[in-house]
Amino acid sequence: MSDQEFELDTDDLMRRMDGAMGALKTEFASLRTGRASATMLEPVMVDAYGSKTPINQVGTVNVPEPRMVTVNVWDKSLVNAVEKAIMNSGLGINPQTNGTIVMLPIPELNEERRTELARVAAQYAEHARVAVRNIRRDGMDQIKKAKNDGLSEDDQKIWEGEVQELTDSYIKQVDSALENKQSEIMQV
């Protein structure tokens, strides 16, 4: 195999690392910061019609005031399932129901809850770092395989450097996102 034949698909690695960052942003959006937001319910899945369904596909999510989120459930038979999904979501919010409207009063965050949320954010960030490192390993494995197929050592080092650089930049993004989220959570 000549050196020119091996071309690592760095776009694929970047796309996958972007996916890990996207997942992290979604998880961070679900962490309450003491303000009501419709995105905090994004990860909540409701048992509806025999499958797990995102909450925004069974009702309309609104934020009528800074400390209140409402879900206007379209199918009356799903109101209890929506309530249950919210209670089991770990958001720490007790839903109140009024007909087909599930109201979520957002309590003030106390110091203990803030610390707990900051810890959860750190766990989410660690999952993202692991995902990025797994993608890095895939890239390195492809390079190793190409080396066995005749890729020169110099080219191997160049490709490995590129993959490492990509990994480092995504890990930095994860760390920076975590720092922002934690300071947002700890803000009183």
Side-chain angles (χ1 to χ4, degrees):
M1 169 174 153
S2 76
D3 296 344
Q4 272 54 53
E5 288 177 39
F6 180 71
E7 184 70 33
L8 183 67
D9 191 349
T10 50
D11 288 348
D12 177 57
L13 296 179
M14 279 178 73
R15 191 176 42 70
R16 291 168 57 198
M17 288 183 183
D18 282 337
M21 283 304 296
L24 179 65
K25 285 190 171 88
T26 303
E27 288 177 321
F28 276 178
S30 74
L31 289 179
R32 291 195 310 107
T33 53
R35 298 187 53 141
S37 90
T39 55
M40 64 197 282
L41 294 179
E42 271 179 18
V44 178
M45 299 300 246
V46 180
D47 281 318
Y49 314 116
S51 68
K52 293 264 185 209
T53 310
I55 201 161
N56 61 5
Q57 290 181 17
V58 297
T60 310
V61 178
N62 286 311
V63 183
E65 52 193 73
R67 301 196 92 62
M68 176 74 71
V69 176
T70 60
V71 182
N72 191 351
V73 184
W74 301 319
D75 181 344
K76 198 175 185 145
S77 69
L78 292 176
V79 171
N80 288 341
V82 168
E83 267 189 314
K84 195 172 148 198
I86 292 167
M87 283 193 277
N88 296 338
S89 69
L91 286 171
I93 303 173
N94 291 322
Q96 300 162 0
T97 308
N98 182 355
T100 58
I101 296 180
V102 179
M103 295 175 292
L104 307 170
I106 310 299
E108 283 279 356
L109 290 178
N110 60 21
E111 193 58 37
E112 185 184 323
R113 182 71 180 138
R114 285 179 196 283
T115 307
E116 187 184 322
L117 286 173
R119 204 172 30 251
V120 170
Q123 283 174 343
Y124 286 162
E126 186 50 35
H127 293 242
R129 281 189 213 101
V130 167
V132 167
R133 286 195 287 265
N134 286 341
I135 297 163
R136 171 193 178 276
R137 193 190 56 230
D138 290 351
M140 292 301 196
D141 287 349
Q142 289 174 38
I143 295 166
K144 215 171 279 161
K145 187 181 171 304
K147 170 89 166 88
N148 294 339
D149 292 343
L151 180 70
S152 77
E153 211 162 296
D154 287 348
D155 285 350
Q156 177 190 6
K157 295 224 177 313
I158 290 168
W159 283 112
E160 284 176 349
E162 207 166 304
V163 170
Q164 189 58 52
E165 212 173 280
L166 194 60
T167 304
D168 293 345
S169 91
Y170 276 90
I171 297 288
K172 260 195 199 107
Q173 286 179 44
V174 169
D175 292 344
S176 147
L178 173 62
E179 214 173 279
N180 293 341
K181 188 62 182 184
Q182 286 182 327
S183 71
E184 190 183 311
I185 288 169
M186 295 318 261
Q187 237 171 40
V188 181

